[in-house]
Amino acid sequence: MYSQGLIGANTETQETPEFLAAFQARIDAEEKIEPNDPMPAAYRKTLIRMISQHAHSEIVGMLPEGNWITRAPTLRRKVALLAKVQDEGGHGLYLYSAAETLGVSREQLTQELLTGKAKYSSIFNYPTPTWADIGAIGWLVDGAAIMNQVPLCRCSYGPYARAMIRVCKEESFHQRQGYELMTSLAEGTEEQKAMAQDALNRWWWPSLMMFGPSDSDSQHSDQSMAWKIKRFTNDELRQKFVDATVPQAELIGLSMPDEKLTWNESKNNGQGGYDFGEIDWDEFWQVVKGHGMMNKDRINAKRKAWDDGAWVRQAALAHAEKQNQRKAAA
Amino acid sequence: MTEHKDHLKVALLQVADDHLILGHRLSEWCGHAPMLEEDLSMPNMALDLIGQARHLYTYAAELEGLQRSEDDLAYLRTDREYTNCLLVERGNIDFAHTMLKQLYFAAYMKPFWQFVEGCSDNTLSAIAGKAVKEISYHIRHAGEWVIRLGDGTDESAERMHLAVETLHPYTEELFWIDEHRKICIDAGLLPAADVVRPQWDATISAVFEQAKLAIPEVTYPLLGGREGKHTEAFGYLLAELQYMQRAYPGAQW
């Protein structure tokens, strides 16, 4: 594989002021940075962190939705959900490959996930107790992910930007599918409507938290903006998401669990936008630090799959080795 | 065609149930596979199987003419009314058992679909045309794994041997022919055992030889599913599968 030649390669750069200025000039000229190009160590490190967190999120994200595959209420919904969860695994695979172009291996990144060293999107530490959660995840979680990811299609690092183009197409389909699922529930029986509203109540605030801390508290924002890894701040993206999503809820007769939500004419340079209530950042940090309802279950499930599968991976390697020896002997 | 309708419906429900239940078991792996590549390919094969089940249920419902939908048939029957063979409902146990189960089933379905593709029933022939391409991939995928595991490490070989010992007695039921299927066979709609069996034997022998596995003699085949007599685990599978339809009767999703 192309990227494997890059794993562990010597990527040291002399970060003289001239080098850094020339690098920034390429970024400012909207040139894409490619795997073999010299880059500042911090640029590489930031991208590895972002891409691997994104990949881990896709992989861990298979669990809360996978939770409903065997119980999906119709065959049509079942195949749609299976396909969606499979797409997420596929996104994980491209993203690990994109990370490999920066010199880290998938095995190394997997170990970081399993040992708890690496983070993944905290949203997946919330449980999916009802079928409506599948709709809420598609509509809100994938919707929020798209807001974050569409600008990443223009990210300065070429392999990440290109991976995101495909990922965004599929996520956009998932978002519409999730909204369509919620619409069916909202138009259904009283019980179904209540199930949809309950799911919205539980997923709305965690979805807003997906954009990360407020700009004033974000550790990574400024440099990432200068390097054009990020194009918008956390708060800008969060506002876009709220403005896009509130009318969608109204259209299907559901309401956001936020008493402070009001239309404000003067927002967004006079185009208008929603004011919304205060996010509970204590809850956000609690879940980020590992104390959400499902944090331990998620990691334990991934560890169990990895440990239980060890003999399979060993057998595949042993068989390949035997085949090579037979070929050499023939 | 009309005179075979009721018999064909019964026979197709057996095949539809096989696909749904095997797809259900395979989908249980999603997110829990030994490697990411298998987290993609197992749901992919489950999608193929459940997709085929949908076509078969829809056609069976049409033949029945009682205005039942694919979901009525898939979700709203009692355990005794499901006629899948026992092989497909067996639990996953481990990756060796799962891949072997897939291989046994796919090796049966390939010659089945190849025959059906050439039959005089256009609907059935169209379903077969799509399925035959998918099932060839399933044989390759599962077959390669059976070979890797059978001829891998000591542990994987032992697990493969155990899987063969456990599952082989269930394979006889794949070739079960009741009065309904017999009528469909005589009408040229479905293949006779002597069409399917030699190809199944050839596929399994070829894989087992490379996997260094012996084909066991089966003195006491395990049968019952085709007559609606299922193992204990099947009730739990249905409890999950049917949960939403049973908890919210009549709701649209």
Side-chain angles (χ1 to χ4, degrees), chain A residues 70 72-73 77 106 192 302, chain B residues 31 37 75 240 245 252-253:
Chain A
T70 57
R77 293 291 183 196
R106 198 213 299 180
Q192 285 175 302
K302 293 315 295 180
Chain B
E37 284 75 4
Y75 287 90
E240 261 188 78
Q245 289 279 346
Q252 298 299 305
W253 301 96

Side-chain angles (χ1 to χ4, degrees), chain B residues 224-239:
Chain B
R226 292 281 185 246
E227 295 178 297
K229 295 173 186 164
H230 295 280
T231 59
E232 288 179 354
F234 190 61
Y236 293 91
L237 185 154
L238 288 189

